[in-house]
């Protein structure tokens, strides 16, 4: 019995480095980036996300294991736009120039994205330019997945040129599937065009732009600061005037404040996931949109 | 006028209820010198609720409340017994330890279930603004029962009796705090607890009078905080906590005038004010002389209040550049804002912009940001250079002003020196003192 375990352990020890070498090790900050990276890498890569699903990536506290994950990685995919600033400190600690800013395995997925709501200045360590921070939830426009997967493909082909053709084929297949889905989603959301919606946090400008949704207000004006009475009274007034029937909340947002506004206005609360895995049945990038759009359409149908 | 009242009266009623029970407990807590006990108990209750959540009970169920209560009672036992124990280590140390360990343990538990973070936050960060009649229906009978219990046991609740009465005190306090923290949040509950009680204890010696003062002060301060929060568009809890802070400061300032020797109080107050002004002026002088390009808090503050002060030390050319740059910075900000607004409206109105056009808007916004930063750099540079030019003259002036305010009687230094003391040698370098000594 003991012998059998020893043999098994020896086999595993022999196998694991070979295994690790075969599959490219990728670390992503969020589950969304992981899902998109996997769409390009498929079984040629091994991707892990640092922030667990449904945790707020903006105030994530890295754990010791995260340094280890970064040390073992050959590629890093981050959201950028000040959304995951903490990863800079992790990279400095792990001391891996090849996946740090400027290295071949460093992917800032916000590269070449048309950023919305740019105002003010970025607080992150940049390249000396005053790039505004903008709204960081750009992956919520499915069309942006084309740009994001393009940036990821470029990095993968740079690190692993032998498999470049496979990565290219994977991405094309994913984009074809996404394109077909996009037509379906646009058709499903057509009845919601111009229907006024209020959300707790401003996570949705990219989704709104793509599907022509009308977010008329937000309960939270600044992240982490509770709304003032004047603002809350204003929101309630707007909702009554414009007949807002849908109130969007993400699972990690305070239930009580949203419930309070709903009770004042009679609007229905719809739980949407801003990230893959934040809600059940949002296991990858495409099912994230499937679930959100189903929740929105069924709430709108009940009105 | 009617609209804010309609919006705020439920919060005000909740605040009155909370002040009612917490002013009483605050007096008890001050007497026992266990100031932070409410934080520890609230955190323990949150840990209990977290455990219940991890075991699969929904947020507002009886089981969750049961776990909270069980953990709180356990902490009450600990607190009651350590009073008799803690001779060398103050009890406050143990309270702090309970707080941090409970908080850390809850984080460790939550780490296993990310959805729980929101759950934990909900227990510890209530929002009094979104509370109302539902909460009042729960807390009024609860607080009335606790109040009645304490009234019946009023001879036992002195903090010196048998351990069982201490346990009853901490247990009932835990029940109150668990409910109030969920409604108003940790910061506000702490203010409700300590500040009305402290003001009451300051101005009265019997429990009944202390309570009356605490209730009146607490009610009026809550109303003022709520009004300020609505008028100035501020988060309610934080505005109320600051209002309570102001109330305590005012009470503290009034105390020596109402209770102590009025003349003495006036003298101390003047001396303190003069020392404060002297220190601020001297520090500003040193800062300007040492680092004219760095922030100058005093000068910056005065310039914000009186922008025309700049013309005093800017040259005409500098002033023109500064005004020009600030106008451009404002223009870029406005144009970026307009562009953002156009993009936002286009999400639902008119023909949708294509992706290329949106990308162009985005890069325009980036450019506006850079240009605005450039103008702000020009403004900063102009000001820094002007300040470098005047660093010595203005800091000397500030220093002279500081000496003028210093509460040292200069006249006495000049005249009354009957015998030259031992420090004469040290001051010989100074011609003023040297002359004084030689004259006598």
């Amino acid at each position: 019995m003991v012998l059998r375990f020893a043999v098994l352990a020896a086999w595993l020890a022999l196998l694991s480095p070979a295994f690790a070498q075969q599959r490219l090790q990728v670390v992503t900050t969020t589950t969304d980036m992981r899902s998109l990276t996997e769409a390009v890498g498929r079984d040629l890569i091994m991707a892990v996300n640092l922030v667990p699903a449904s945790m707020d990536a903006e105030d994530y506290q890295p754990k010791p294991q995260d340094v280890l994950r970064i040390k073992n990685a050959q590629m890093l995919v981050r959201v950028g736009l000040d959304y995951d600033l903490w990863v800079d400190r992790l990279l400095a600690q792990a001391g891996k120039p090849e996946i740090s800013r400027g290295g071949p395995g460093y992917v800032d997925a916000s590269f070449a994205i048309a950023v919305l709501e740019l105002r003010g200045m970025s607080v992150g360590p940049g390249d000396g330019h005053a790039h505004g921070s903008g709204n960081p939830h750009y992956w919520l426009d499915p069309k942006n997945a084309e740009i994001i997967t393009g940036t990821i493909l470029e990095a993968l082909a740079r690190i692993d040129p032998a498999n470049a053709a496979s990565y290219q084929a994977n991405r094309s297949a994913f984009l074809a599937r996404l394109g077909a889905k996009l037509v379906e989603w646009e058709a499903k959301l057509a009845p919601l065009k111009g229907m006024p919606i209020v959300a707790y946090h401003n996570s949705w400008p990219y989704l709104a732009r793509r599907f022509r949704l009308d977010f008329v207000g937000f309960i939270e004006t600044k992240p982490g600061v509770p709304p003032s009475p004047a603002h809350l009274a204003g929101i309630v007034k707007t909702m009554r005037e414009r007949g807002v029937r849908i109130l969007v909340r993400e699972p990690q947002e305070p239930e009580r404040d949203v419930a309070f506004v709903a009770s004042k206005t009679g609007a229905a609360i719809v739980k949407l996931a801003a990230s893959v895995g934040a809600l059940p049945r949002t296991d990858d990038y495409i099912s994230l949109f499937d679930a959100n759009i189903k929740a929105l359409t069924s709430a709108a149908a009940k009105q | 006028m009617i609209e804010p009242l309609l919006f705020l009266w439920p919060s005000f009623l909740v605040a009155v209820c909370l002040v009612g029970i917490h002013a009483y407990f605050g007096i008890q807590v001050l007497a026992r010198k266990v100031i932070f006990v409410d934080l520890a108990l609230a955190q323990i209750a949150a840990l209990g609720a977290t455990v219940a959540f991890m075991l699969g009970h929904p947020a507002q169920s009886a089981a969750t409340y049961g776990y909270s209560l069980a953990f709180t009672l356990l902490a009450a036992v600990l607190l009651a017994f350590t009073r008799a124990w803690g001779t060398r280590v103050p009890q406050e140390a143990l309270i702090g330890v309970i707080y941090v360990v409970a908080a850390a343990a809850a984080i460790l538990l939550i780490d296993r279930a990310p959805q729980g973070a929101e759950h934990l936050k909900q227990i510890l960060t209530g929002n009094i603004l979104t509370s109302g009649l539902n909460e009042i229906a729960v807390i009024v009978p609860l607080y009335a029962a606790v109040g009645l219990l304490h009234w019946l046991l009023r001879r036992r609740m002195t903090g010196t009796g048998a351990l069982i009465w201490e346990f009853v005190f901490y247990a009932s306090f835990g029940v109150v705090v668990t409910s109030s923290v969920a409604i108003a949040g940790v910061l506000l509950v702490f203010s409700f607890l300590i500040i009305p009680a402290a003001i009451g204890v300051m101005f009265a010696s019997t429990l009944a009078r202390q309570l009356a003062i605490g209730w009146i002060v607490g009610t009026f301060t809550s109303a003022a905080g709520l009004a300020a929060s609505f008028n100035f568009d501020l988060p309610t809890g934080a505005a109320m906590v600051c209002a309570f802070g102001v109330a305590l400061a005012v009470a503290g300032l009034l105390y020596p005038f109402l209770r102590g020797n009025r003349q003495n109080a006036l003298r101390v107050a003047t001396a303190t004010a003069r020392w404060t002004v002297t220190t601020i002026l001297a520090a500003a002088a040193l800062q300007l002389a040492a680092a004219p390009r760095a922030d100058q808090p005093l000068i910056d503050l005065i310039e914000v209040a009186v922008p025309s002060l700049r013309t005093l030390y800017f040259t005409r050319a500098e002033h023109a550049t500064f005004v020009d740059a600030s106008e451009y910075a404002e223009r870029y900000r406005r144009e970026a804002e307009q562009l953002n607004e156009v993009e936002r409206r286009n999400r639902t109105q008119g023909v949708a912009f294509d992706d290329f056009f949106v990308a162009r808007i985005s890069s325009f916004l980036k450019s506006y940001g850079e240009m605005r930063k450039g103008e702000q750099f020009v403004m900063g540079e102009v000001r820094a250079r002007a300040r470098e030019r005047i660093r010595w003259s203005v800091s000397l002036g500030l220093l002279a002003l500081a000496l003028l305010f210093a509460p040292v009687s200069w006249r006495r230094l000049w005249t009354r020196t009957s015998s030259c003391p031992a420090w004469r040698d040290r001051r010989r370098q100074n011609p003023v003192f040297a002359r004084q000594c030689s004259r006598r």
Side-chain angles (χ1 to χ4, degrees), chain A residues 63 114-119 121 129-130 205 209-210 212-214 225-226 228-229 252-257 260, chain B residues 111 118 122 127 129-130 182 229 233-236 337 340 343 346-348 350 352 355 358-359 362 369-370 373:
Chain A
K63 302 187 186 70
V115 180
L116 299 182
E117 300 178 350
L118 266 161
R119 47 171 71 89
M121 296 297 135
H129 285 280
R209 156 151 293 285
R210 183 58 53 203
R212 313 279 284 161
L213 304 176
D214 194 4
V225 181
S228 71
Q252 83 280 3
E253 289 169 352
E255 192 182 340
R256 239 185 321 222
D257 295 7
F260 173 78
Chain B
D111 194 52
E118 153 61 11
Q122 233 184 73
N127 186 353
L129 181 58
T130 53
S229 149
D233 200 14
L234 304 168
T236 309
E337 214 42 52
N340 262 324
E343 186 277 320
N346 176 261
R347 284 176 206 161
T348 49
D355 293 349
V358 174
S362 178
E370 293 227 18
K373 203 178 174 192

Side-chain angles (χ1 to χ4, degrees), chain A residues 93-221:
Chain A
Q93 203 175 348
K96 293 254 300 179
E98 60 270 33
I99 59 166
S100 301
R101 208 177 283 274
Y106 175 84
V107 177
D108 183 339
S110 70
F111 176 75
I113 296 280
V115 180
L116 299 182
E117 300 178 350
L118 266 161
R119 47 171 71 89
M121 296 297 135
S122 157
V123 293
D127 41 10
H129 285 280
H131 65 97
S133 38
N135 192 302
H137 302 88
Y138 57 85
W139 65 90
L140 289 170
D141 176 353
K143 273 265 188 157
N144 276 344
E146 214 173 303
I147 304 173
I148 301 168
T149 51
T151 316
I152 292 169
L153 170 68
E154 207 183 308
L156 282 173
R158 194 163 50 219
I159 307 174
D160 184 16
N163 287 317
S166 318
Y167 294 133
Q168 177 96 53
N170 289 345
R171 175 178 179 243
S172 302
F174 171 72
L175 288 182
R177 225 175 99 216
L178 190 68
K181 273 287 186 184
L182 186 58
V183 175
E184 181 196 321
W185 293 331
E186 273 176 336
K188 276 188 179 162
L189 282 179
L192 273 84
K193 218 171 256 183
M195 187 183 277
I197 302 173
V198 164
Y200 183 81
H201 178 80
N202 185 11
S203 307
W204 313 100
Y206 297 90
L207 187 84
R209 156 151 293 285
R210 183 58 53 203
F211 297 107
R212 313 279 284 161
L213 304 176
D214 194 4
F215 283 85
V216 296
F218 307 99
I219 295 176
E220 181 192 67
T221 45

